[in-house]
Amino acid sequence: TDHPGQRSVKDITMVAETEGLMARIFTLGPGEIIDWHQHTEVTDWYTCLRGLLRVETRSPDRYDILQPGEMTTVPSQTTHHVSNIGDGDCQFQILQGVGKYDFNPVTD
């Protein structure tokens, strides 16, 4: 499934969307990645549902490796990317809000 500004990933399912808040479930195949990007207004709330999810940020430079049931947050205006680092599919839920959603690619 293609989404503006990001590579094709195995699946994206919209759970709910209102003005200022979006909930989706992403499935990443082995090695799939969502490239470096940031959001102007929304905070990303990640919850791993299956597999191993790596969430990495710049400024601050850090990463979390989430197993099923674990969560992390990436504040608005923080450059980040996510990747499946496991051998099988990785599935995660993401809540994005509160604010207008955008996807701003960041390149080196």
Side-chain angles (χ1 to χ4, degrees), residues 15-96:
V15 176
E17 184 176 15
T18 65
E19 187 173 327
L21 185 66
M22 188 166 33
R24 296 182 286 175
I25 295 176
F26 279 70
T27 303
L28 303 181
E32 286 187 335
I33 176 175
I34 299 172
D35 288 328
W36 290 101
H37 66 283
Q38 60 178 258
H39 310 290
T40 304
E41 295 181 12
V42 301
T43 293
D44 287 350
W45 303 80
Y46 293 93
T47 303
C48 183
L49 303 174
R50 184 171 79 221
L52 289 174
L53 177 67
R54 180 182 170 113
V55 179
E56 186 172 357
T57 64
R58 293 182 184 155
S59 298
D61 291 346
R62 69 171 195 136
Y63 70 90
D64 293 304
I65 296 176
L66 304 181
Q67 297 182 38
E70 295 182 329
M71 297 177 60
T72 194
T73 303
V74 177
S76 63
Q77 300 184 31
T78 301
T79 300
H80 62 288
H81 79 135
V82 297
S83 57
N84 175 359
I85 60 168
D87 295 333
D89 285 353
C90 172
Q91 192 172 61
F92 63 92
Q93 178 176 283
I94 184 168
L95 299 176
Q96 295 173 299

